[in-house]
């Protein structure tokens, strides 16, 4: 079993690695201190079975880190291990493609159970969500969530770059594709999200930034 720990705090990575090693002595552990490093490790080590990912890292806004990893490596399940305990954030993380959510304050037994369940193909639901009713449709953006799910991994990457304010030429350079390819991706994103402009894309997806005040989960 190979696991990737992604967190920008070295001490927590060390503590998490120790807890995992005690529970799974034969596990091979990899570490990364950010999304870029995580993607490099995942690309270099195709045998990784599970990514344990922190949501709040330097240079990462909202769920962008989770979206990036899921977009590029959709076959590798992601277990969120975060200091955030807001049920709304937990629920959104699961809707964004996480296979489970574990608050950093949980005990080792819960962490071990979460890893085991996700590795067995199950969805680990945080105890904090047990018994909580689903939010009413008027207060959630599930239609948009469903539309986002229609995007291909490459379109998800383009979407993230649009949200970062990058122009088509910048996106083409980063993805190492032609301008016409980027234009085609943008057109498909507009069509699938049922919006008419790049500005509307940013506005409609603003709720993904749980740490960005109004329209998100901060407050």
């Amino acid at each position: 079993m190979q696991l990737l720990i992604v967190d920008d705090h070295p001490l927590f990575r060390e503590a998490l690695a120790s807890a995992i090693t005690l529970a799974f002595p034969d596990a091979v552990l990899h570490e990364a201190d950010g999304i870029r490093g995580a993607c490099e490790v995942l690309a270099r080590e195709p045998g990784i079975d599970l990514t344990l990912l922190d949501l709040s890292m330097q240079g990462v806004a909202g769920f962008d880190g989770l979206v990036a990893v899921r977009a590029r490596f959709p076959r590798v399940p992601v277990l969120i291990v975060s200091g955030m305990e807001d049920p709304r954030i937990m629920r959104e993380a699961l809707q964004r493609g996480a296979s489970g959510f574990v608050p950093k304050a949980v005990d080792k037994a819960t962490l071990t159970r979460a890893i085991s369940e996700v590795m067995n193909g199950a969805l680990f639901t945080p105890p904090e969500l047990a018994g909580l009713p689903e939010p009413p449709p008027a207060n959630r953006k599930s239609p948009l969530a469903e539309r986002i799910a229609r995007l291909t991994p490459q379109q998800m990457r383009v979407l993230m770059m649009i949200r970062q304010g990058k122009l088509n030429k910048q996106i083409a350079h980063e993805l190492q594709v032609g301008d016409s390819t980027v234009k085609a991706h943008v057109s498909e994103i507009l069509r699938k999200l049922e919006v008419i402009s790049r500005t509307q894309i940013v506005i409609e997806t603003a709720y993904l930034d749980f740490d960005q005040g109004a329209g998100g989960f901060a407050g």
Side-chain angles (χ1 to χ4, degrees):
M1 180 169 72
Q2 296 193 52
L3 303 167
L4 170 62
I5 300 172
V6 187
D7 195 291
D8 58 359
H9 290 88
L11 287 178
F12 182 75
R13 290 202 307 273
E14 182 179 347
L16 187 56
S18 296
I20 293 173
T21 300
L22 284 174
F24 306 97
D26 296 329
V28 177
L29 302 182
H30 305 269
E31 296 185 13
D33 61 3
I35 299 303
R36 182 186 296 273
C39 291
E40 291 175 354
V41 174
L42 286 166
R44 185 174 67 246
E45 304 288 345
I48 290 177
D49 301 294
L50 174 66
T51 297
L52 294 92
L53 175 70
D54 185 17
L55 288 178
S56 299
M57 293 184 289
Q58 187 174 1
V60 179
F63 296 98
D64 280 355
L66 170 61
V67 171
V69 172
R70 292 293 297 142
R72 290 193 59 184
F73 306 96
R75 290 184 176 84
V76 182
V78 176
L79 174 63
I80 300 298
V81 183
S82 173
M84 299 180 183
E85 300 186 22
D86 187 329
R88 294 172 297 176
I89 294 176
M90 295 180 185
R91 182 177 282 118
E92 283 294 335
L94 296 175
Q95 291 178 344
R96 297 276 72 76
S99 295
F101 195 113
V102 177
K104 287 183 176 180
V106 301
D107 55 28
K108 293 180 181 179
T110 301
L111 173 64
T112 300
R113 187 170 75 253
I115 292 174
S116 297
E117 290 188 12
V118 172
M119 287 291 295
N120 288 326
L123 183 70
F124 182 80
T125 304
E128 289 82 353
L129 290 182
L132 288 181
E134 287 287 318
N139 295 331
R140 61 188 298 199
K141 295 187 179 290
S142 55
L144 178 59
E146 294 172 3
R147 282 176 265 158
I148 288 178
R150 302 172 191 165
L151 301 179
T152 66
Q154 189 78 322
Q155 289 165 2
M156 288 289 289
R157 296 180 68 188
V158 173
L159 171 63
M160 289 173 56
M161 293 181 189
I162 291 174
R163 283 163 37 79
Q164 294 167 0
K166 295 181 179 179
L167 302 175
N168 282 3
K169 287 186 177 180
Q170 295 173 304
I171 297 174
H173 176 73
E174 289 200 24
L175 297 181
Q176 298 183 338
V177 298
D179 289 355
S180 59
T181 300
V182 175
K183 289 180 181 178
H185 283 318
V186 173
S187 295
E188 277 298 289
I189 291 170
L190 292 171
R191 182 183 68 80
K192 291 181 178 180
L193 296 189
E194 300 177 18
V195 295
I196 60 174
S197 69
R198 296 168 75 102
T199 299
Q200 193 176 358
I201 288 175
V202 175
I203 294 173
E204 286 288 320
T205 60
Y207 82 104
L208 294 176
D209 295 330
F210 54 74
D211 53 354
Q212 296 294 320
F217 288 139

